[in-house]
Amino acid sequence: MSTPLTAIYPGSFDPVTNGHLDIIGRARVLFDRVIVAVLVNAEKHPMFSCAERVEILRNVTRLWDNVEVDTFDGLLVHYAVARKARVVLRAIRAVTDYDYEFQMALMNRRMQPDIETIFMVPGEAYSYLSSSLVKEVCELGGSVNSLVPPLVESLLHEKIGRDKPS
Ligand code: PNS
């Protein structure tokens, strides 16, 4: 039997958006196992704690049996080796993402040539979507309905202390 192909989808996920979920949903049909890996201490002041981000991700991916949610610290390639993953998945939404992603992919390859970075493109409805924009829009009273899962929308309103815009 061949070794199961595991892909790691790393990120901050502060919070997970429908764009992230679109990628996870596409990846889970391509790989035997997808590990969504939340970087611990990605930002000094994340809106959601690492435990909250993991709990949310586990909740919104609970129906996908080959998707696992985990945390990692330190170098991504070290984590990938430890989890026996051959692939790192990253999303490219627009050409502006490319420079940074290209640099990371090449640096990761330099450190760990056996790990391949695969770029995936989310549905076009999510090409402008990011966790930071979602937080900003919500903080300023705009609607994030259909940009994030309903659970995230209510938690954002709880954190920000605003009622949902009607
Ligand atoms: O969602 P993000 O914040 O764009 O994800 C960035 C992430 C977590 C993938 C990247 O910062 C990362 O891999 N950090 C771990 C530390 C590391 O391996 N750094 C070297 C990258 S070449």
Side-chain angles (χ1 to χ4, degrees):
M1 232 170 64
S2 58
T3 323
L5 188 53
T6 299
I8 290 183
Y9 181 38
S12 309
F13 305 104
D14 184 39
V16 61
T17 68
N18 286 345
H20 295 125
L21 286 180
D22 179 83
I23 294 289
I24 300 167
R26 288 170 197 279
R28 70 175 287 273
V29 298
L30 296 175
F31 299 96
D32 297 308
R33 185 167 61 141
V34 176
I35 301 174
V36 182
V38 181
L39 177 63
V40 182
N41 298 332
E43 256 185 73
K44 282 209 179 111
H45 303 292
M47 179 178 271
F48 293 90
S49 70
C50 191
E52 287 172 323
R53 285 178 270 156
V54 167
E55 196 183 328
I56 297 169
L57 274 161
R58 287 201 176 129
N59 184 305
V60 297
T61 59
R62 68 191 179 282
L63 299 179
W64 291 337
D65 55 3
N66 62 338
V67 175
E68 185 191 321
V69 181
D70 193 11
T71 58
F72 78 105
D73 211 349
L75 281 179
L76 174 62
V77 288
H78 289 168
Y79 175 72
V81 170
R83 297 303 315 265
K84 298 184 168 43
R86 288 277 319 278
V87 171
V88 166
L89 282 180
R90 290 290 290 170
I92 299 263
R93 291 161 300 186
V95 73
T96 42
D97 283 336
Y98 187 73
D99 271 357
Y100 172 60
E101 295 300 334
F102 183 75
Q103 279 178 11
M104 272 209 306
L106 289 181
M107 185 60 85
N108 282 335
R109 178 182 283 162
R110 183 174 177 276
M111 294 186 282
Q112 195 51 253
D114 292 340
I115 292 174
E116 208 60 60
T117 298
I118 294 188
F119 294 125
M120 293 186 69
V121 177
E124 69 250 37
Y126 308 118
S127 58
Y128 59 90
L129 189 53
S130 70
S131 299
S132 23
L133 265 189
V134 161
K135 284 183 280 190
E136 185 177 329
V137 167
C138 198
E139 269 168 345
L140 298 173
S143 168
V144 292
N145 177 260
S146 82
L147 301 180
V148 290
L151 169 67
V152 172
E153 194 184 355
S154 11
L155 291 172
L156 276 167
H157 289 291
E158 244 175 59
K159 289 259 175 207
I160 291 164
R162 265 182 194 274
D163 291 332
K164 264 190 193 177
S166 43

